[in-house]
Amino acid sequence: GPSFVKGTVAPTYKINDTDVQHSELLAKLTDIYANRAERVMFVRGDDDINFSYVADVIDIAHEANVDHIGLMTPKIQQGQ
């Protein structure tokens, strides 16, 4: 069944507006960025998400050869 972390359901992932399983992230990101000259990705997490989930996605993106990763979490935006 689903795994629960601190009473929160494990996060859902989307690439653009498409739902993606965590296990598919690496393959899909690798495909998307394979033929791009500029490999830039923006990661947006909900306000209350545990940052370890965001860090995990960043690690996967690096594995998929994404060069530049920007964070768009609301907390970071508020600080600007």
Side-chain angles (χ1 to χ4, degrees):
S3 56
F4 293 91
V5 181
K6 294 180 184 165
T8 316
V9 181
T12 55
Y13 300 90
K14 284 181 184 283
I15 296 177
N16 298 324
D17 286 321
T18 308
D19 287 311
V20 179
Q21 297 298 316
H22 182 272
S23 58
E24 300 175 309
L25 284 171
L26 180 58
K28 288 195 183 297
L29 291 173
T30 301
D31 278 354
I32 289 168
Y33 288 98
N35 301 312
R36 288 197 187 182
E38 290 195 352
R39 293 192 291 272
V40 179
M41 181 172 115
F42 291 95
V43 178
R44 188 172 69 232
D46 287 344
D47 244 347
D48 54 353
I49 194 161
N50 186 318
F51 189 76
S52 63
Y53 291 126
V54 178
D56 174 56
V57 170
I58 292 169
D59 285 344
I60 291 169
H62 281 307
E63 253 189 278
N65 296 316
V66 179
D67 296 323
H68 300 287
I69 298 163
L71 289 178
M72 298 169 59
T73 64
K75 284 174 188 155
I76 292 169
Q77 288 175 336
Q78 285 163 8
Q80 288 174 351

